Amino acid sequence: MQPSADLWEKVPGYSSDDEDGAGLPEPTPQQLEGRLTEVLAALGGRSVDRPTIQFRAAPLPGKTSSSKSRTSTSPSAFLLNADAPLLRDTFQHNGMIPTMCSDYAIQWSGPNIRDAVYQSMMDWQRINHFPNSTELTRKDRLWLHFAQMAKNYGKGCFDFVPETYVLPDNFDAFLKCYQRSRCHWIVKPNASSRGRGIFILQDLSELPLDETVVVSRYIADPLLIQGYKFDLRVYVLVTSYDPLKAYIYREGLTRFASAPYSTQEDHMQDAFRHLTNYSVNKNSYTFVENSDMRADNVGHKWSLSALNKHLRCIGVDVNLMWVRIMDLIVKTLLLLCVHSYISFYFPMFTK
């Protein structure tokens, strides 16, 4: 179904009034507060009030802040178990102090957090991962839940992930499919990031059978922009699973490969043509860094606003595209069994 115009005015780069695609101005804090009031009124008793801390963005390197940092006679502490200088600077800019003890107000860590950490948390403490979130973020676990939901509700509802096999467990099934198909397959480690260990399968002997990998049917004819592959970084924040509360950031990233896409045999192992990870492409001599936020359609990283404008110019139905993206997000959060894992093992975190 086609979305209503007032809904898509909130999508980056969308404007129902301007044919040239000029986006609407950012809403004021008062307008945002009014929208939040409407949402809370609609939720009624299902709404859960939580204490909040307002954070100001830390100044960019080489610039000074125009406002003083928050001062407090009893500043809050943060525990940072990750290499995240931007978060560290933001916390400290807002008057928080680092700690390595259990007196933190906010803990930021990687996904593999021990159960004891959750069980020892106080009501006033916050952490950046739900328990068992790897059921969603690990490629092998994600596919397991996706396949189960496709079986339960039909592939017509779950058609947004290519055919996939988890090896070595499903090696026999993959081998049968591989022998009767003439497509390419892409191999990925089950729990890695930044493009590490990914390759296009050329021969079965390349498969590492002593570790868990995910093998997916490679999309041979992807949508290209000026001959280059790209992907989207759409940022979704989940604050509760019962009731489900998720917020989608209005902006995001469009990340490009740094070499033109090609399926010629001698190009199939060229990561700069087939992968869009920034960690990979920043090492290419052809990579163009975007250094001006006002020119958000330059180089190998665009904003979502710039992408929407470009797609409208080449005839893509941007409204329908975002309907499908929103549908994908909801199904990923709601239907991939993640809710049941969190509710069963840690019911105190679903309220």
Side-chain angles (χ1 to χ4, degrees):
M1 297 178 60
Q2 288 297 317
S4 60
D6 61 336
L7 169 64
W8 295 111
E9 286 174 354
K10 300 176 178 62
V11 173
Y14 176 85
S15 172
S16 57
D17 299 323
D18 303 328
E19 292 184 359
D20 61 358
L24 294 175
E26 288 291 325
T28 65
Q30 292 77 16
Q31 289 172 324
L32 291 174
E33 188 68 29
R35 292 181 188 177
L36 179 60
T37 301
E38 293 178 11
V39 171
L40 293 177
L43 287 172
R46 292 173 294 167
S47 172
V48 179
D49 237 353
R50 295 178 181 270
T52 60
I53 301 175
Q54 297 292 335
F55 286 98
R56 295 190 304 275
L60 296 173
K63 296 185 179 181
T64 57
S65 175
S66 58
S67 60
K68 295 182 179 180
S69 298
R70 183 186 71 177
T71 58
S72 173
T73 56
S74 179
S76 299
F78 68 91
L79 175 59
L80 193 59
N81 289 326
D83 182 19
L86 179 60
L87 285 169
R88 181 199 61 223
D89 293 345
T90 300
F91 289 146
Q92 293 181 330
H93 179 67
N94 286 271
M96 302 186 75
I97 59 174
T99 184
M100 293 303 296
C101 303
S102 60
D103 61 342
Y104 61 86
I106 297 175
Q107 178 179 167
W108 194 281
S109 300
N112 297 315
I113 301 172
R114 298 188 305 274
D115 293 353
V117 174
Y118 293 108
Q119 294 164 350
S120 63
M121 286 177 61
M122 307 297 289
D123 288 345
W124 49 271
Q125 292 180 311
R126 296 291 179 267
I127 197 167
N128 64 313
H129 283 284
F130 280 97
N132 293 293
S133 60
T134 51
E135 295 295 325
L136 184 66
T137 58
R138 269 182 43 162
K139 299 178 182 68
D140 57 339
R141 303 299 299 167
L142 175 64
W143 170 253
L144 176 68
H145 299 314
F146 180 90
Q148 185 61 48
M149 298 309 291
K151 179 180 179 181
N152 292 346
Y153 295 97
K155 293 183 179 180
C157 295
F158 291 85
D159 60 351
F160 50 88
V161 176
E163 183 178 9
T164 298
Y165 297 88
V166 178
L167 306 184
D169 291 351
N170 303 131
F171 181 80
D172 291 341
F174 168 69
L175 182 61
K176 291 180 181 178
C177 183
Y178 179 84
Q179 291 173 337
R180 69 172 182 264
S181 66
R182 292 183 172 272
C183 65
H184 289 104
W185 297 84
I186 187 167
V187 182
K188 301 181 180 182
N190 70 314
S192 188
S193 61
R194 302 199 294 271
R196 293 171 296 185
I198 298 178
F199 63 93
I200 309 296
L201 184 65
Q202 298 289 90
D203 189 272
L204 286 176
S205 62
E206 299 172 336
L207 287 173
L209 299 182
D210 57 345
E211 60 182 288
T212 302
V213 296
V214 175
V215 185
S216 299
R217 188 183 292 266
Y218 191 51
I219 300 176
D221 57 344
L223 177 64
L224 305 177
I225 292 182
Q226 300 169 4
Y228 292 81
K229 277 189 69 173
F230 67 94
D231 75 0
L232 306 185
R233 280 282 177 166
V234 181
Y235 295 94
V236 181
L237 169 67
V238 181
T239 60
S240 170
Y241 273 96
D242 185 13
L244 178 63
K245 288 187 179 182
Y247 301 83
I248 302 175
Y249 192 56
R250 292 185 67 247
E251 265 297 2
L253 296 175
T254 309
R255 307 184 305 174
F256 288 87
S258 54
Y261 178 73
S262 171
T263 54
Q264 294 182 19
E265 187 173 351
D266 55 344
H267 291 163
M268 294 305 291
Q269 298 304 320
D270 186 351
F272 297 143
R273 298 180 187 274
H274 296 279
L275 301 185
T276 55
N277 306 75
Y278 171 74
S279 300
V280 172
N281 287 283
K282 68 179 182 180
N283 299 314
S284 170
Y285 73 92
T286 61
F287 183 81
V288 177
E289 192 85 44
N290 186 310
S291 57
D292 186 353
M293 62 184 298
R294 296 167 298 182
D296 57 353
N297 63 343
V298 174
H300 290 90
K301 270 190 182 181
W302 290 8
S303 68
L304 291 183
S305 298
L307 173 72
N308 286 345
K309 294 172 185 176
H310 174 85
L311 293 180
R312 280 199 301 271
C313 287
I314 63 174
V316 173
D317 188 339
V318 176
N319 289 7
L320 181 59
M321 180 189 77
W322 279 101
V323 166
R324 290 173 173 169
I325 290 176
M326 300 296 181
D327 177 72
L328 181 156
I329 292 171
V330 170
K331 288 176 179 176
T332 302
L333 292 178
L334 197 60
L335 300 181
L336 296 188
C337 303
V338 177
H339 176 277
S340 62
Y341 276 89
I342 294 172
S343 300
F344 181 78
Y345 289 107
F346 293 90
M348 73 286 288
F349 286 95
T350 63
K351 298 297 184 183

